[in-house]
Amino acid sequence: MQFKDIIGHHTLKAHLVQTVKDNRVSHAQLFLGPEGSGSLALAIAYAQYINCEQKSENDSCGACSSCRKYQKLIHPDLHFSYPFFASGEKDVATTYLEEWRTAFLDNPYMGLDYWRHQLEAGNKQANINIAEAHDIIKKLSFKAFEAEYKVLVMWLPEYLNTQGNALLKLIEEPPEKTLFLLVSENQDRILNTIISRTQLVKIPKFSHGDIKQYLIEEKAIPEQQANEIAFIADGNVQTAVDLIEEDTNPYFNLLIQWLRFIVTDSGLNIIRFCEEDFPRLGRENQKNFLLYTINVFRQILLTQAGLSQLVLLQGQELDFVQKFSDNFKGEQLEVAINLLEKTHYKVERNANPKILFLDLSLQLVLIFKYQTFPQGTQYI
């Protein structure tokens, strides 16, 4: 994986390259970025650049022995750790190494659900177990085979839990020329004792333009469809890839119908929606629908503020935004966005979707139909 193979993040790539040139490579770094932001790909490209035998000005050469092995993820001094769905207590990450290589090489921007699908793990709980922690200690105790640095890339260390305590001393005082590159999506779920021992590298989500360009150039998607998908994906390449096979926007018609029932206070239809339509989506699509709705409402706020040049929507979606902006106030939209964000947070934590969406719908009825903003004990 070379830096040039990763879309966007030009400033961050230049910073990472400069740390190598200045000999300021920290032995433990935390690459923190949301799902689909390319944080895992960046960490691997960084490791490849560090161990490249013929570095160019801004990237690894891609041709030396080290680079060729890195590009296939088979370098003997490159180690991986990641959440898996253990079938036995002795399972470690290397048990699933071939599947891991295939998954990453097919989709460098993958998320946990994509990885789960590759292993056909169903609803099993992902984690990094104590056997894996001990295996990491064992692997890194050996001398490097051929590279200057041994590198461990740990994807999603938030799934390490208390087993991470076994690695604290190793992370704080690793063997010479050993690098820990931790790649996380949620800093709050990582052990504080691990965070305090790492240097933070913040990775932002991709811009709308980055995603759109990626879809047009790499996936041969027509511009208008790429624009739609990029808007829904909201900086997440994994979501964009998931949406490619959809012939039309899967959320726009659902949103229109739902809002029509809300603004007319059609109680029976709202209940049916929450009992049938929303649960049928599944957790990931529920999250994507909520994010899509949040982004649409934000586009409406931009329209109301006279910033139409920043509106990214086209066609039917743009017509909807313009009509909606004429009929509802910015205060209503801001409160609705706050409710949608809270619901998204709860969906991520596996709350009951029927209860969540019914509660959300009823509160939106109060906001858009009756211009009443829930407060105090009724704001549940």
Side-chain angles (χ1 to χ4, degrees), residues 13 90 109 160 167 190 196 223 268 275 285 295 330 358:
K13 291 174 187 175
K90 295 183 179 180
Y109 306 98
L160 195 58
L167 298 174
I190 306 175
S196 65
E223 183 175 357
L268 291 177
E275 290 284 337
N285 278 324
N295 286 333
L358 180 58

Side-chain angles (χ1 to χ4, degrees), residues 15 41 108 112 118 126 133 143 154 157 168 201 205 223 251 253 329 357:
H15 167 73
L112 182 63
Q118 302 308 303
K143 290 184 178 179
M154 178 178 284
L168 293 180
V201 179
K205 66 181 182 180
E223 183 175 357
Y251 304 127
N253 290 332
K329 301 175 182 177
F357 279 97

Side-chain angles (χ1 to χ4, degrees), residues 257-380:
Q257 196 171 3
W258 183 47
L259 287 177
R260 185 177 293 122
F261 294 147
I262 285 171
V263 298
T264 58
D265 192 9
S266 181
L268 291 177
N269 284 315
I270 289 173
I271 292 172
R272 178 185 59 77
F273 239 63
C274 298
E275 290 284 337
E276 299 175 8
D277 294 65
F278 286 130
R280 193 183 300 131
L281 288 175
R283 188 166 67 94
E284 288 307 307
N285 278 324
Q286 289 165 9
K287 287 162 56 181
N288 290 336
F289 172 76
L290 289 166
L291 289 175
Y292 172 72
T293 305
I294 290 168
N295 286 333
V296 168
F297 282 2
R298 286 173 176 162
Q299 297 285 291
I300 296 170
L301 287 172
L302 289 173
T303 301
Q304 291 179 340
L307 300 172
S308 56
Q309 70 274 16
L310 299 179
V311 175
L312 304 171
L313 297 174
Q314 300 173 356
Q316 288 182 317
E317 291 171 305
L318 181 58
D319 290 339
F320 165 75
V321 164
Q322 291 170 341
K323 291 176 182 176
F324 204 91
S325 65
D326 293 335
N327 291 290
F328 297 95
K329 301 175 182 177
E331 185 183 7
Q332 292 170 290
L333 291 163
E334 289 173 4
V335 176
I337 288 171
N338 186 47
L339 287 171
L340 289 160
E341 289 175 340
K342 289 182 177 181
T343 304
H344 181 273
Y345 176 86
K346 293 171 184 176
V347 170
E348 278 192 322
R349 280 143 187 82
N350 293 317
N352 186 307
K354 294 181 181 179
I355 297 173
L356 273 181
F357 279 97
L358 180 58
D359 177 64
L360 173 64
S361 300
L362 295 177
Q363 293 193 63
L364 291 179
V365 168
L366 290 175
I367 293 168
F368 290 121
K369 172 68 174 177
Y370 301 106
Q371 299 188 36
T372 300
F373 303 112
Q375 296 178 355
T377 56
Q378 62 182 342
Y379 188 41
I380 300 173

Side-chain angles (χ1 to χ4, degrees), residues 53-91:
E53 297 166 4
Q54 301 172 10
K55 298 178 181 65
S56 66
E57 183 65 21
N58 300 310
D59 210 341
S60 52
C61 69
C64 68
S65 174
S66 176
C67 283
R68 291 198 303 271
K69 292 172 183 175
Y70 258 86
Q71 287 170 340
K72 296 179 181 178
L73 306 185
I74 58 173
H75 197 290
D77 295 314
L78 174 64
H79 306 284
F80 293 102
S81 182
Y82 36 80
F84 51 89
F85 311 91
S87 56
E89 291 183 0
K90 295 183 179 180
D91 280 5

